[in-house]
Amino acid sequence: DDDDGWIHVAHVGDSRIHRFDFILHDDDDDDSDDDDGNSNDSDWTCCHSQPLSTPTTVNEMPLERARIEQCMGQREPVKVNGSSSTGSNKNNRGPATTTTGVRIDQQGNVWYGPVAIAMTRALGDCVMLRAGVVPTPIVESFPLQQYDSEDDETSSSRQQRRRTTLVLATDGLWDVVSAEQVETVLVEHYNSQGHFSVSSCCSAQQAAQALTTLAEAGWKRGTQDLPFADEDKMDDITCLVVQLDLESRGG
């Protein structure tokens, strides 16, 4: 919100938003500028990285467990070979299960009978609503402020320009790409562009495409956390890169 100086985030599920702040250091004695007024001898560096959302899972947000546990004693009859049955199956491993009991497994997945979901909040999942998985978003606010370089000596000797980038992506990206890798891709991308135009939709689109390509490669080769990952099991990948110009608002 440009009026009150805050970023307001409402989120459910395991899509995430991450903020990256970049600084362009220009040498005061360097008069060689390009056509856009940017120094030819300068580099963008990341001075601040901050997650603006947390995946709504039992493992990431333990307080969510209480709501799920309130539903864990519920049992409903289900059809088994044409007859009704009730009960629970502690060895529930897949769709052959016949119980509708609610439980949380060791990985933090929420089960409702034969159906499991990793999240404790989700949109449009009417079945899991019975297990305490609600569509209500978590709303958080963060100050829309600028961050300076940690290198005070460099900061005082060079003119600085600042840009802020928000990366919104599904778990298809975040499951195989870390925030540090996203930062590296953005820095390399912006420096290769020669300048960083906040008004350039093309620049944001190219950055999003670079991150999507990196995620696709991660699913093909697998990671330490997801050694089973391969192209056939690739999750949906959606990535949006938003460029903010805080300098123009004096913030």
Side-chain angles (χ1 to χ4, degrees), residues 123-135:
L123 296 176
D125 199 328
C126 297
V127 173
M128 296 306 294
L129 182 62
R130 304 170 187 173
V133 178
V134 297

Side-chain angles (χ1 to χ4, degrees), residues 24 34 36 38-40 42 44 161 188-196:
L24 178 69
D34 60 21
D36 295 313
N38 297 309
S39 170
N40 289 321
S42 56
W44 288 98
R161 296 178 56 202
E188 292 177 351
H189 173 73
Y190 294 144
N191 284 327
S192 69
Q193 297 298 303
H195 66 284
F196 181 65

Side-chain angles (χ1 to χ4, degrees), residues 3 13 45 63 66 77 86 89 94 111 113 117 122 149 151 173 178 184 188 197 213 233 238 250:
D3 293 330
T45 58
L63 293 179
T86 60
N89 183 349
W111 286 82
I117 189 173
S149 171
D151 189 343
L173 182 137
S178 66
T184 299
E188 292 177 351
S197 175
T213 300
K233 298 177 181 177
T238 301

